[in-house]
Amino acid sequence: MSDQAKIYPVPEEFAAKANLTPEKYKEMYDASLADPEAFWGEQGKRLDWIKPYTKVKDVSWETGDLHIRWYADGELNVTANCIDRHLETRGDKTAFIWIGDNPNESHKVSYKELHAAVCRFANVLKKLGVKKGDRVTIYMPMILEAAYAMLACARIGAVHSVVFGGFSPEALAGRITDCESTVLITADEGVRGGRKVPLKVNADKAADLSNGMLKTMLVVKRTGAEINMVEGRDHWLHEAAEGVSSDCPPEPMNAEDPLFILYTSGSTGKPKGVLHTTGGYLVWASITHEYVFDLKEDDVYWCSADVGWVTGHSYIVYGPLANGTTTVMFEGIPTYPDASRFWQECDKHGVTIFYTAPTAIRSLMREGEDPVNATSRKSIRLLGTVGEPINPEAWEWYFHVVGEARCPIVDTWWQTETGATMMVPLPGTTDLKPGAASHPFFGIKPVLVDADGTQLPGATEGNLLITDSWPGQMRTVYGDHQRFIDTYFTAYPGNYFTGDGCRRDEDGFYWITGRVDDVINVSGHRMGTAEVESALVSHDAVAEAAVVGYPHDIKGQGIYAYVTLVQGVEPDEALRKNLVQHVRAEIGPIASPDLIQFAPGLPKTRSGKIMRRILRKIAENEFSNLGDTSTLAEPEVVDDLINNRQNRG
Ligand code: WTA
C-alpha cells in the first residue's frame, strides 16, 4: 500500500477540545526557530528555579570546542519541580497509579505520599553515604520503588543509571564499572507475565564481575523470595528506612549538573553512557509531554514502557510528574493473563491517554479483535507510539480497532540521545498519515542529506540531521567526550547526526525509514550488532561472527547471525541452542539471535572488511540483486551463504 493511500483528518470531536490548532503550532514553531533564546527563555519559566537563569543557550557544535549548555547559571532541583511545587494545589491528586502483574493488584499514590516516600528514600541513600555527584545504579522491576529511587537520587544530587531489569549480570556489571558506581538498588525478584525474574541473584553475580566496585546494595522486597544478603554490603530498604525522617530538603543543583546516565547501544563498541543534565532536560521532558499528549489536568496517562529505557524516564517519571499528571506504572506485559489486559486496565482506571510501542500493537493484533472489543475503552481520547517505525497495518488497527477512529495517534520519533520527542504529528495540528513521524517539535530543524552531506530539498530521502541544539539534548558520553563528538558531530560537521534515515514527502511530512548504521531495533529495543557479535565470538566454538537485522513480523527487526566456527567444531542444532543461550547470558534475552547461519566463510573485501550489505540482503531473503561483488576476496562464499540461508520467508 502506498503511504499516500490514506490521510486521516483530525477527528472532529478531538479537534474541538485540542490545546493546539494548526495555526498555533505554526506560530510557536516559527517563533522557536526565529529566536531560540526568547522562546526557550520563556519556556524555562515552566519550572521553579531556586536561582533564576540569566543565560538561556550557550552551545557550540564545532568539534574543536563542543559544548552544550542551557540555562547554565540557573539552579533548581528536579524533584522540587516534580513533587514539592504541586503539593499546595495537587497534594491529594494521584501522582502514580501502580498496576501489578497480577490483575488483582493495584494502588494509588498521591503527590503528598510521593513526597514522603521520595524524601524517606533520599534519607536512606544519605544514611548509606551517597553524596551529590555519586553514581547510583538502579536495577529494578516495574514497581514504584524504581521511580522513588530515581527521584531520591535527584533529590540529593546523585546521578542515577537505570539498567533494564532484563539485562544479564554481565551487562549490568559493564554498566556499573563504566560509570564507577559503588551503589546498586535492586529488588529480591521481579514479576512479569506470571514469571519471576531473579534480580538479586543477577545483582550478586554482577557484583562479583565488577572487580570490587560495588560497596553497597539496597534491596527492595517484592516477592519475599529467599535471597542471599551479604553482611556489611547489602541492606533491605524496609529495614534501612525504619525511623528515617520524611523530611529531606531538595539539593540545589546547577542546571548543567548531571541528572542521569542511561546506557544505549551504538554502531561500534560497548554501550555508551548517555548523559542528561538537570535544567534543559526537565524543560524538554515537560514541554514535550504537555504538547505531544494534549495534556489536561484530569488526564489519566499511561505510558507502557519500562523505566529501564529512556521512554520510561521521560514519559513515565519526569515529564508527567513535572506537569502534575496522574501517571500509570505497569508491572506486567500486554498479553498476561490475556491479550485484553491493556484495555481492561484502561477501563478500570479511566485511562485517557495511552502510549505504547508498535511491537506491542503487532503482538496484540495477532490475537484478533475480540480481546479489544470485549472492553469499552471509552475513556481513551489519545493514542501514542514510540520506539520504532510503525507499519501502516498496525497503525490502522490501533486507530480503528483500539481507538474506534476517535483518537488521534501521536507517532513520536526520538532517541535516548534527544531526551524526548523530536518529531510527531502534534494532536489537533495536522492530518494523520499512518506511519509518518510527520512534523518537527518546537525548536527542531530537521534536514536530509546525502552521504556527502549535501542538503536534499523537497520530496526526498536521506540521512536525518538536526541543525541546532534543543534543551534536552544529551551533553556527552559519560567519561568519553571524544566518543560523543565522533559519533554525532563528525560525519556532518556543524550538525547532529541521528543515525536514522528519513524521507520527506510532497506534503512535507517526515517518515523515519530506520537506522542507517549498524544498530538494529528489536521490539523497539536498540541493539548494536557489534555487541551481539562480540558476545558470539566470546564463545569457544566461534571463530568469527557477523550480525545483521532482517524484517520480523512482530519484533520489527529480528537478529540474524552468521557464525564461522573454529576448525574442527561441527555445526549442529545443539550448538545453535548453546550459542543463543550464550548470548542471553552475555547480554540478556532481548539480544537472542532469531536465526543463526553457520557459514564456512564470510564475504570480505580484499582488505579484509566484511561486506555487510551482502549479508543484509541474504538475511532479508532478497539476494537476487546483490550489487557489485567483484571486489570480494572469495566470491564463491556468497553462493554457500545463499544456499544455506535461514530466512526463506
Ligand atoms: C527508532 C527510543 C520511527 C529510531 C525513544 C531511533 C523510531 C531509535 C521512532 C532510538 C518512531 C524511535 N518512528 N523510528 N516513532 N521512535 N525510533 O534510543 O531508529 O531506544 O534512532 O529511543 O529508535 O531508540 P532509543
Side-chain angles (χ1 to χ4, degrees):
M1 181 172 58
S2 145
D3 51 66
Q4 291 303 314
K6 285 270 166 55
I7 298 186
Y8 294 94
V10 182
E12 256 172 53
E13 194 191 335
F14 188 93
K17 297 184 197 150
N19 294 346
L20 284 175
T21 57
E23 297 72 35
K24 181 80 180 149
Y25 164 70
K26 186 167 186 324
E27 185 191 311
M28 287 178 75
Y29 180 69
D30 290 348
S32 72
L33 292 198
D35 191 349
E37 290 271 338
F39 184 87
W40 293 112
E42 191 56 34
Q43 284 300 332
K45 295 182 192 155
R46 60 177 47 247
L47 302 183
D48 281 1
W49 296 80
I50 297 166
K51 177 167 167 270
Y53 50 88
T54 63
K55 300 185 205 132
V56 176
K57 181 183 175 204
D58 171 13
V59 173
S60 162
W61 283 0
E62 294 303 317
T63 50
D65 171 38
L66 193 133
H67 62 267
I68 300 158
R69 298 183 199 116
W70 287 85
Y71 311 107
D73 61 348
E75 281 179 17
L76 74 166
N77 181 281
V78 162
T79 64
N81 280 285
C82 288
I83 310 173
D84 303 45
R85 67 166 168 161
H86 303 311
L87 292 179
E88 203 170 308
T89 51
R90 300 180 174 121
D92 295 318
K93 179 173 175 175
T94 300
F96 276 111
I97 300 175
W98 179 79
I99 301 175
D101 187 59
N102 175 339
N104 300 320
E105 279 182 44
S106 69
H107 69 261
K108 294 183 177 170
V109 170
S110 69
Y111 272 92
K112 254 189 222 155
E113 290 164 333
L114 177 64
H115 181 259
V118 169
C119 287
R120 211 174 295 119
F121 206 123
N123 280 330
V124 168
L125 294 182
K126 278 188 181 171
K127 195 166 102 174
L128 294 174
V130 179
K131 300 207 166 45
K132 184 170 177 170
D134 287 354
R135 277 81 55 216
V136 174
T137 304
I138 299 176
Y139 183 64
M140 289 278 265
M142 286 289 284
I143 56 178
L144 289 176
E145 284 79 0
Y148 300 163
M150 293 163 72
L151 293 161
C153 288
R155 188 87 179 165
I156 64 174
V159 183
H160 61 70
S161 162
V162 183
V163 178
F164 174 58
F167 276 121
S168 70
E170 299 275 347
L172 174 59
R175 285 156 174 78
I176 288 168
T177 47
D178 183 80
C179 69
E180 301 180 325
S181 164
T182 61
V183 181
L184 176 68
I185 305 173
T186 189
D188 49 2
E189 288 182 321
V191 189
R192 279 185 93 233
R195 288 198 214 136
K196 306 279 170 65
V197 185
L199 293 173
K200 177 65 164 72
V201 171
N202 289 350
D204 287 339
K205 287 188 197 151
D208 292 342
L209 294 165
S210 307
N211 305 322
M213 182 72 72
L214 267 189
K215 304 284 182 246
T216 307
M217 247 196 245
L218 185 60
V219 187
V220 180
K221 187 172 261 186
R222 169 66 186 97
T223 63
E226 269 297 307
I227 54 163
N228 179 38
M229 295 289 279
V230 174
E231 183 74 37
R233 185 194 72 181
D234 300 354
H235 309 263
W236 284 108
L237 174 70
H238 61 269
E239 288 176 11
E242 256 170 52
V244 163
S245 160
S246 58
D247 177 33
C248 176
E251 183 71 27
M253 303 295 286
N254 181 273
E256 284 301 335
D257 281 336
L259 175 63
F260 66 83
I261 300 166
L262 187 55
Y263 285 86
T264 193
S265 297
S267 305
T268 54
K270 293 185 303 178
K272 302 183 275 281
V274 168
L275 185 88
H276 282 289
T277 57
T278 301
Y281 170 79
L282 197 63
V283 169
W284 187 240
S286 162
I287 184 176
T288 56
H289 179 258
E290 176 184 336
Y291 286 105
V292 167
F293 297 107
D294 185 56
L295 198 66
K296 314 272 200 277
E297 185 61 39
D298 55 359
D299 273 317
V300 176
Y301 160 89
W302 181 2
C303 163
S304 78
D306 191 286
V307 289
W309 311 113
V310 74
T311 308
H313 284 58
S314 301
Y315 292 128
I316 295 177
V317 180
Y318 291 120
L321 296 180
N323 294 336
T325 309
T326 296
T327 172
V328 172
M329 181 186 256
F330 176 46
E331 186 180 32
I333 59 170
T335 48
Y336 178 83
D338 58 54
S340 192
R341 185 72 199 274
F342 274 166
W343 326 121
Q344 286 167 11
E345 297 296 345
C346 285
D347 286 353
K348 182 167 164 193
H349 298 284
V351 170
T352 58
I353 303 169
F354 182 76
Y355 186 38
T356 194
T359 189
I361 298 165
R362 287 191 299 267
S363 73
L364 295 177
M365 220 172 124
R366 194 173 50 174
E367 308 290 328
E369 297 181 13
D370 292 350
V372 189
N373 292 337
T375 62
S376 150
R377 285 155 288 112
K378 281 289 175 284
S379 58
I380 305 178
R381 64 182 187 87
L382 181 65
L383 297 169
T385 68
V386 59
E388 53 176 318
I390 180 164
N391 48 312
E393 297 71 23
W395 194 102
E396 296 277 349
W397 190 84
Y398 199 30
F399 185 73
H400 290 287
V401 179
V402 176
E404 298 174 332
R406 182 182 75 236
C407 312
I409 295 178
V410 287
D411 176 351
T412 61
W413 171 77
W414 57 292
Q415 311 176 300
T416 307
E417 294 89 334
T418 71
T421 302
M422 301 287 278
M423 288 212 252
V424 56
L426 281 172
T429 72
T430 173
D431 287 345
L432 301 171
K433 294 194 185 191
S438 305
H439 306 295
F441 193 77
F442 307 134
I444 300 305
K445 187 157 178 244
V447 299
L448 304 184
V449 297
D450 66 15
D452 301 326
T454 308
Q455 278 203 32
L456 307 167
T460 188
E461 185 168 341
N463 290 347
L464 174 61
L465 314 183
I466 309 295
T467 62
D468 199 358
S469 184
W470 60 98
Q473 181 178 21
M474 75 182 280
R475 300 301 196 253
T476 191
V477 171
Y478 187 83
D480 197 350
H481 197 58
Q482 192 57 45
R483 190 171 177 201
F484 178 53
I485 297 168
D486 294 345
T487 308
Y488 305 102
F489 302 97
T490 301
Y492 304 100
N495 295 285
Y496 168 79
F497 177 39
T498 63
D500 278 319
C502 183
R503 188 163 64 77
R504 186 169 45 224
D505 71 18
E506 313 65 74
D507 303 324
F509 282 63
Y510 289 88
W511 301 72
I512 304 295
T513 53
R515 301 288 306 194
V516 293
D517 53 11
D518 290 321
V519 171
I520 51 183
N521 195 321
V522 185
S523 302
H525 301 147
R526 243 167 101 163
M527 192 49 58
T529 50
E531 278 172 78
V532 185
E533 287 164 7
S534 102
L536 284 165
V537 183
S538 72
H539 190 284
D540 287 343
V542 177
E544 194 167 40
V547 168
V548 297
Y550 73 101
H552 187 287
D553 284 350
I554 304 292
K555 299 179 177 184
Q557 280 190 297
I559 299 179
Y560 193 117
Y562 297 88
V563 171
T564 306
L565 298 173
V566 297
Q567 285 260 307
V569 176
E570 285 305 312
D572 60 17
E573 271 320 297
L575 180 58
R576 206 188 289 273
K577 289 215 178 87
N578 190 286
L579 290 179
V580 171
Q581 204 43 51
H582 182 72
V583 174
R584 293 169 72 97
E586 288 287 310
I587 305 175
I590 57 171
S592 305
D594 296 280
L595 297 171
I596 294 181
Q597 175 169 359
F598 293 113
L602 296 174
K604 289 184 187 161
T605 61
R606 288 188 196 103
S607 60
K609 200 171 173 315
I610 294 178
M611 296 198 55
R612 309 178 69 88
R613 176 177 54 81
I614 294 176
L615 295 178
R616 266 187 228 116
K617 290 250 176 209
I618 297 172
E620 287 164 8
N621 201 25
E622 291 282 346
F623 50 86
S624 55
N625 176 20
L626 285 183
D628 184 11
T629 53
S630 63
T631 53
L632 285 178
E634 298 172 282
E636 59 283 2
V637 302
V638 172
D639 294 330
D640 177 84
L641 291 173
I642 291 173
N643 292 336
N644 293 302
R645 69 190 185 280
Q646 298 291 301
N647 174 18
R648 295 180 184 250

Coordinates of all heavy atoms in Angstrom, one line a residue, residues 574-635:
A574 N 22.3 -28.6 18.6 CA 22.7 -28.3 20.0 C 23.6 -27.1 20.1 O 23.4 -26.3 21.0 CB 23.4 -29.6 20.5
L575 N 24.5 -27.0 19.2 CA 25.4 -25.8 19.2 C 24.7 -24.5 19.0 O 24.9 -23.5 19.6 CB 26.6 -26.0 18.2 CG 27.6 -24.9 18.2 CD1 28.2 -24.7 19.5 CD2 28.7 -25.2 17.1
R576 N 23.7 -24.6 18.0 CA 22.9 -23.4 17.8 C 22.2 -23.0 19.0 O 22.2 -21.8 19.4 CB 21.9 -23.8 16.7 CG 21.4 -22.7 15.8 CD 20.2 -23.1 15.0 NE 20.6 -24.0 13.9 CZ 21.1 -23.6 12.7 NH1 21.1 -22.4 12.4 NH2 21.4 -24.5 11.8
K577 N 21.6 -23.9 19.7 CA 20.9 -23.5 21.0 C 21.8 -23.0 22.0 O 21.6 -22.0 22.7 CB 20.2 -24.8 21.6 CG 19.0 -25.3 20.8 CD 17.9 -25.8 21.7 CE 16.7 -26.2 20.9 NZ 16.8 -27.6 20.4
N578 N 23.0 -23.6 22.1 CA 24.0 -23.2 23.0 C 24.5 -21.8 22.8 O 24.7 -21.0 23.7 CB 25.1 -24.3 22.8 CG 26.2 -24.1 23.9 OD1 27.0 -23.2 23.9 ND2 26.2 -25.1 24.8
L579 N 24.6 -21.4 21.5 CA 25.1 -20.1 21.1 C 24.0 -19.1 21.5 O 24.3 -18.0 22.0 CB 25.4 -20.0 19.6 CG 26.6 -20.7 19.2 CD1 26.8 -20.6 17.7 CD2 27.9 -20.2 19.9
V580 N 22.7 -19.4 21.3 CA 21.7 -18.5 21.7 C 21.7 -18.3 23.2 O 21.7 -17.1 23.7 CB 20.3 -19.0 21.3 CG1 19.1 -18.2 21.9 CG2 20.1 -19.1 19.8
Q581 N 21.9 -19.4 23.9 CA 22.0 -19.3 25.4 C 23.1 -18.4 25.8 O 23.0 -17.7 26.8 CB 22.1 -20.7 25.9 CG 21.7 -21.0 27.3 CD 20.4 -20.2 27.6 OE1 19.4 -20.4 26.9 NE2 20.3 -19.4 28.7
H582 N 24.2 -18.6 25.1 CA 25.4 -17.8 25.5 C 25.2 -16.3 25.3 O 25.6 -15.5 26.2 CB 26.6 -18.3 24.6 CG 27.9 -17.7 24.8 ND1 28.6 -17.9 26.0 CD2 28.6 -16.7 24.1 CE1 29.7 -17.2 25.9 NE2 29.7 -16.4 24.8
V583 N 24.5 -15.9 24.2 CA 24.3 -14.5 24.0 C 23.3 -14.0 25.1 O 23.5 -12.9 25.6 CB 23.7 -14.3 22.6 CG1 23.3 -12.8 22.4 CG2 24.7 -14.6 21.5
R584 N 22.3 -14.8 25.5 CA 21.4 -14.4 26.5 C 22.1 -14.1 27.8 O 21.9 -13.2 28.5 CB 20.3 -15.4 26.8 CG 19.4 -15.6 25.6 CD 18.5 -16.8 25.8 NE 17.5 -16.7 26.8 CZ 16.2 -16.3 26.6 NH1 15.8 -16.1 25.4 NH2 15.4 -16.2 27.6
A585 N 23.1 -15.0 28.1 CA 23.9 -14.8 29.3 C 24.8 -13.6 29.3 O 25.0 -13.0 30.3 CB 24.7 -16.1 29.6
E586 N 25.3 -13.4 28.1 CA 26.3 -12.2 28.0 C 25.6 -10.9 28.0 O 26.0 -9.9 28.5 CB 27.1 -12.4 26.6 CG 28.1 -13.5 26.6 CD 29.3 -13.1 27.5 OE1 29.9 -12.0 27.3 OE2 29.7 -14.0 28.3
I587 N 24.4 -10.8 27.3 CA 23.7 -9.5 27.2 C 22.3 -9.5 27.8 O 22.0 -8.7 28.7 CB 23.5 -9.1 25.7 CG1 24.9 -9.1 25.0 CG2 22.9 -7.7 25.6 CD1 24.8 -8.8 23.5
G588 N 21.5 -10.5 27.5 CA 20.2 -10.6 28.0 C 19.3 -11.2 26.9 O 19.6 -11.2 25.8
P589 N 18.0 -11.6 27.3 CA 17.1 -12.3 26.4 C 16.8 -11.4 25.2 O 16.6 -11.9 24.1 CB 15.9 -12.5 27.2 CG 16.3 -12.6 28.6 CD 17.5 -11.7 28.7
I590 N 16.8 -10.0 25.3 CA 16.5 -9.2 24.2 C 17.5 -9.3 23.0 O 17.2 -8.9 21.9 CB 16.3 -7.7 24.6 CG1 17.5 -7.1 25.2 CG2 15.0 -7.5 25.4 CD1 17.4 -5.6 25.4
A591 N 18.7 -9.8 23.3 CA 19.7 -9.9 22.3 C 19.7 -11.3 21.7 O 20.6 -11.6 20.8 CB 21.1 -9.6 22.9
S592 N 18.8 -12.2 22.0 CA 18.8 -13.6 21.5 C 18.8 -13.5 19.9 O 17.8 -13.0 19.4 CB 17.6 -14.4 21.9 OG 17.5 -14.4 23.3
P593 N 19.7 -14.2 19.3 CA 19.6 -14.3 17.8 C 18.4 -15.1 17.4 O 18.1 -16.1 18.0 CB 20.9 -15.0 17.4 CG 21.9 -14.8 18.5 CD 21.0 -14.7 19.8
D594 N 17.6 -14.6 16.5 CA 16.5 -15.3 16.0 C 16.9 -16.4 15.0 O 16.3 -17.5 15.0 CB 15.5 -14.4 15.3 CG 15.0 -13.3 16.2 OD1 14.0 -13.6 17.0 OD2 15.5 -12.2 16.2
L595 N 17.9 -16.1 14.2 CA 18.4 -17.1 13.2 C 19.9 -17.1 13.2 O 20.5 -16.0 13.3 CB 17.9 -16.7 11.8 CG 16.4 -16.7 11.6 CD1 16.0 -16.0 10.2 CD2 15.8 -18.1 11.7
I596 N 20.4 -18.3 13.3 CA 21.9 -18.4 13.2 C 22.2 -19.2 11.9 O 21.7 -20.3 11.8 CB 22.5 -19.1 14.4 CG1 22.3 -18.2 15.7 CG2 24.0 -19.4 14.2 CD1 22.8 -18.8 17.0
Q597 N 23.1 -18.7 11.1 CA 23.6 -19.5 10.0 C 25.0 -19.8 10.1 O 25.8 -18.9 10.3 CB 23.4 -18.7 8.7 CG 23.9 -19.3 7.5 CD 23.5 -18.7 6.1 OE1 22.8 -17.7 6.1 NE2 24.0 -19.2 5.0
F598 N 25.3 -21.1 10.1 CA 26.7 -21.5 10.2 C 27.3 -21.3 8.8 O 26.8 -21.8 7.8 CB 26.9 -22.9 10.6 CG 26.4 -23.1 12.1 CD1 25.3 -23.9 12.4 CD2 27.1 -22.5 13.1 CE1 24.9 -24.1 13.7 CE2 26.7 -22.7 14.4 CZ 25.6 -23.5 14.7
A599 N 28.4 -20.5 8.7 CA 29.0 -20.1 7.4 C 30.5 -20.5 7.4 O 31.2 -20.0 8.3 CB 28.8 -18.6 7.2
P600 N 30.9 -21.3 6.5 CA 32.3 -21.6 6.4 C 33.2 -20.3 6.2 O 34.3 -20.3 6.6 CB 32.4 -22.5 5.2 CG 31.1 -22.7 4.7 CD 30.1 -21.9 5.4
G601 N 32.6 -19.3 5.5 CA 33.4 -18.1 5.3 C 32.4 -16.9 5.2 O 31.2 -17.1 4.9
L602 N 32.9 -15.7 5.5 CA 32.1 -14.5 5.3 C 32.6 -13.7 4.1 O 33.8 -13.7 3.9 CB 32.2 -13.7 6.6 CG 31.6 -14.4 7.9 CD1 31.8 -13.5 9.1 CD2 30.1 -14.6 7.7
P603 N 31.7 -13.0 3.4 CA 32.2 -12.2 2.3 C 33.0 -11.0 2.7 O 32.5 -10.2 3.5 CB 30.9 -11.8 1.6 CG 29.8 -11.8 2.7 CD 30.3 -12.8 3.7
K604 N 34.2 -11.0 2.2 CA 35.1 -9.9 2.6 C 35.8 -9.2 1.4 O 36.0 -9.9 0.4 CB 36.2 -10.4 3.5 CG 35.7 -10.9 4.9 CD 36.9 -11.3 5.7 CE 36.3 -11.9 7.0 NZ 37.3 -12.7 7.7
T605 N 36.1 -8.0 1.6 CA 36.8 -7.3 0.6 C 38.3 -7.8 0.7 O 38.7 -8.5 1.6 CB 36.9 -5.8 0.8 OG1 37.5 -5.5 2.0 CG2 35.5 -5.2 0.8
R606 N 39.1 -7.5 -0.3 CA 40.5 -7.9 -0.3 C 41.2 -7.4 0.9 O 42.2 -7.9 1.3 CB 41.2 -7.6 -1.6 CG 40.6 -8.6 -2.7 CD 41.4 -8.5 -4.0 NE 40.5 -9.1 -5.0 CZ 39.8 -8.5 -5.9 NH1 39.9 -7.2 -6.0 NH2 39.0 -9.1 -6.8
S607 N 40.7 -6.2 1.4 CA 41.4 -5.7 2.6 C 40.9 -6.3 3.9 O 41.2 -5.8 5.0 CB 41.3 -4.1 2.6 OG 39.9 -3.8 2.6
G608 N 39.9 -7.2 3.7 CA 39.5 -7.9 4.9 C 38.3 -7.4 5.6 O 37.9 -7.8 6.7
K609 N 37.6 -6.4 5.0 CA 36.4 -5.8 5.6 C 35.2 -6.7 5.2 O 35.0 -7.0 4.0 CB 36.3 -4.4 5.0 CG 35.4 -3.5 5.8 CD 35.5 -2.1 5.2 CE 34.6 -1.1 5.9 NZ 33.2 -1.4 6.0
I610 N 34.4 -7.0 6.2 CA 33.2 -7.8 6.0 C 32.2 -7.0 5.2 O 31.9 -5.8 5.6 CB 32.5 -8.3 7.3 CG1 33.5 -9.3 8.0 CG2 31.2 -9.0 7.0 CD1 33.0 -9.8 9.3
M611 N 31.6 -7.5 4.1 CA 30.7 -6.8 3.3 C 29.3 -7.0 3.8 O 28.5 -7.9 3.4 CB 30.8 -7.1 1.8 CG 32.2 -6.7 1.4 SD 32.4 -6.6 -0.4 CE 31.2 -5.5 -1.0
R612 N 28.9 -6.2 4.8 CA 27.6 -6.3 5.5 C 26.4 -6.1 4.6 O 25.3 -6.7 4.8 CB 27.6 -5.4 6.7 CG 28.8 -5.4 7.5 CD 28.8 -4.4 8.6 NE 27.7 -4.8 9.6 CZ 27.9 -5.6 10.6 NH1 29.1 -6.1 10.8 NH2 27.0 -6.0 11.4
R613 N 26.6 -5.3 3.5 CA 25.5 -5.1 2.6 C 25.0 -6.4 2.0 O 23.8 -6.7 2.0 CB 26.0 -4.2 1.5 CG 25.0 -3.9 0.4 CD 25.7 -2.9 -0.6 NE 27.0 -3.3 -1.1 CZ 27.2 -4.2 -2.1 NH1 26.2 -4.8 -2.7 NH2 28.4 -4.6 -2.5
I614 N 25.9 -7.3 1.7 CA 25.6 -8.6 1.1 C 24.9 -9.5 2.2 O 23.9 -10.1 1.9 CB 26.8 -9.3 0.6 CG1 27.3 -8.5 -0.6 CG2 26.6 -10.7 0.2 CD1 28.6 -9.0 -1.2
L615 N 25.4 -9.4 3.4 CA 24.9 -10.2 4.5 C 23.4 -9.8 4.8 O 22.5 -10.6 5.0 CB 25.7 -10.1 5.7 CG 27.1 -10.7 5.6 CD1 27.9 -10.5 6.8 CD2 27.0 -12.2 5.2
R616 N 23.2 -8.5 4.7 CA 21.9 -7.9 5.0 C 20.9 -8.4 3.9 O 19.8 -8.9 4.2 CB 21.9 -6.4 5.0 CG 22.0 -5.8 6.4 CD 21.9 -4.3 6.4 NE 23.0 -3.8 7.1 CZ 23.9 -3.0 6.6 NH1 23.9 -2.6 5.4 NH2 24.9 -2.6 7.4
K617 N 21.3 -8.4 2.7 CA 20.4 -8.8 1.6 C 20.0 -10.3 1.7 O 18.9 -10.7 1.6 CB 21.1 -8.6 0.3 CG 21.3 -7.1 -0.1 CD 20.4 -6.8 -1.3 CE 20.4 -5.3 -1.5 NZ 19.2 -4.8 -2.1
I618 N 21.0 -11.1 2.0 CA 20.7 -12.5 2.2 C 19.8 -12.8 3.4 O 18.9 -13.6 3.3 CB 22.1 -13.4 2.3 CG1 22.9 -13.2 1.0 CG2 21.8 -14.8 2.5 CD1 24.3 -13.8 1.0
A619 N 20.1 -12.1 4.4 CA 19.2 -12.2 5.6 C 17.8 -11.8 5.3 O 16.8 -12.4 5.9 CB 19.8 -11.4 6.8
E620 N 17.7 -10.8 4.5 CA 16.3 -10.4 4.1 C 15.7 -11.3 3.0 O 14.5 -11.0 2.6 CB 16.4 -8.9 3.5 CG 16.6 -7.9 4.6 CD 17.1 -6.5 4.0 OE1 17.1 -6.4 2.8 OE2 17.5 -5.7 4.9
N621 N 16.4 -12.3 2.6 CA 15.9 -13.2 1.5 C 15.7 -12.4 0.2 O 14.9 -12.7 -0.6 CB 14.6 -13.9 2.0 CG 14.3 -15.1 1.2 OD1 15.3 -15.8 0.7 ND2 13.1 -15.5 1.1
E622 N 16.6 -11.4 0.0 CA 16.5 -10.6 -1.2 C 17.8 -10.6 -1.9 O 18.5 -9.6 -2.0 CB 16.3 -9.1 -0.7 CG 14.9 -8.8 -0.1 CD 13.8 -8.7 -1.2 OE1 14.2 -8.5 -2.4 OE2 12.7 -8.7 -0.8
F623 N 18.2 -11.8 -2.3 CA 19.6 -12.0 -2.8 C 19.7 -11.9 -4.3 O 20.8 -12.1 -4.9 CB 20.2 -13.3 -2.3 CG 19.3 -14.4 -2.5 CD1 19.4 -15.1 -3.8 CD2 18.4 -14.8 -1.6 CE1 18.6 -16.2 -4.0 CE2 17.5 -15.9 -1.9 CZ 17.6 -16.5 -3.1
S624 N 18.6 -11.6 -5.0 CA 18.7 -11.6 -6.5 C 19.6 -10.5 -7.0 O 20.2 -10.6 -7.9 CB 17.3 -11.5 -7.1 OG 16.6 -10.4 -6.5
N625 N 19.5 -9.4 -6.2 CA 20.3 -8.2 -6.6 C 21.3 -7.9 -5.6 O 21.1 -7.0 -4.7 CB 19.4 -7.1 -6.9 CG 20.2 -5.8 -7.3 OD1 21.3 -5.9 -7.7 ND2 19.5 -4.7 -7.1
L626 N 22.5 -8.6 -5.6 CA 23.5 -8.3 -4.5 C 24.4 -7.2 -4.8 O 25.3 -6.9 -4.0 CB 24.3 -9.6 -4.3 CG 23.6 -10.7 -3.6 CD1 24.5 -11.9 -3.4 CD2 23.0 -10.3 -2.2
G627 N 24.2 -6.6 -5.9 CA 25.1 -5.4 -6.3 C 26.5 -6.0 -6.7 O 26.6 -7.2 -7.0
D628 N 27.4 -5.1 -6.6 CA 28.8 -5.4 -7.1 C 29.5 -6.3 -6.1 O 29.7 -6.0 -5.0 CB 29.5 -4.1 -7.2 CG 30.9 -4.4 -7.8 OD1 31.2 -5.5 -8.3 OD2 31.7 -3.4 -7.8
T629 N 29.8 -7.6 -6.6 CA 30.5 -8.5 -5.7 C 32.0 -8.7 -6.2 O 32.7 -9.6 -5.7 CB 29.8 -9.9 -5.6 OG1 29.6 -10.4 -6.9 CG2 28.5 -9.8 -4.9
S630 N 32.3 -7.9 -7.2 CA 33.6 -8.2 -7.8 C 34.8 -7.8 -7.0 O 35.9 -8.3 -7.2 CB 33.7 -7.3 -9.1 OG 33.7 -6.0 -8.8
T631 N 34.6 -7.0 -5.9 CA 35.7 -6.7 -5.0 C 35.9 -7.7 -3.9 O 36.8 -7.5 -3.1 CB 35.4 -5.3 -4.4 OG1 34.2 -5.4 -3.7 CG2 35.5 -4.2 -5.4
L632 N 35.1 -8.8 -4.0 CA 35.2 -9.8 -2.9 C 36.5 -10.6 -3.1 O 36.9 -10.9 -4.2 CB 34.1 -10.8 -3.0 CG 32.7 -10.3 -2.4 CD1 31.7 -11.4 -2.6 CD2 32.9 -9.9 -1.0
A633 N 37.1 -11.0 -1.9 CA 38.3 -11.8 -2.0 C 38.0 -13.2 -2.5 O 38.7 -13.7 -3.3 CB 38.9 -11.8 -0.6
E634 N 36.8 -13.7 -2.0 CA 36.4 -15.1 -2.4 C 34.9 -15.1 -2.8 O 34.1 -15.4 -2.0 CB 36.6 -16.1 -1.3 CG 38.0 -16.2 -0.8 CD 38.0 -17.1 0.5 OE1 37.7 -16.5 1.6 OE2 38.3 -18.3 0.4
P635 N 34.6 -14.7 -4.0 CA 33.2 -14.6 -4.4 C 32.4 -15.8 -4.2 O 31.2 -15.8 -4.0 CB 33.3 -14.3 -5.9 CG 34.7 -13.8 -6.2 CD 35.6 -14.4 -5.1

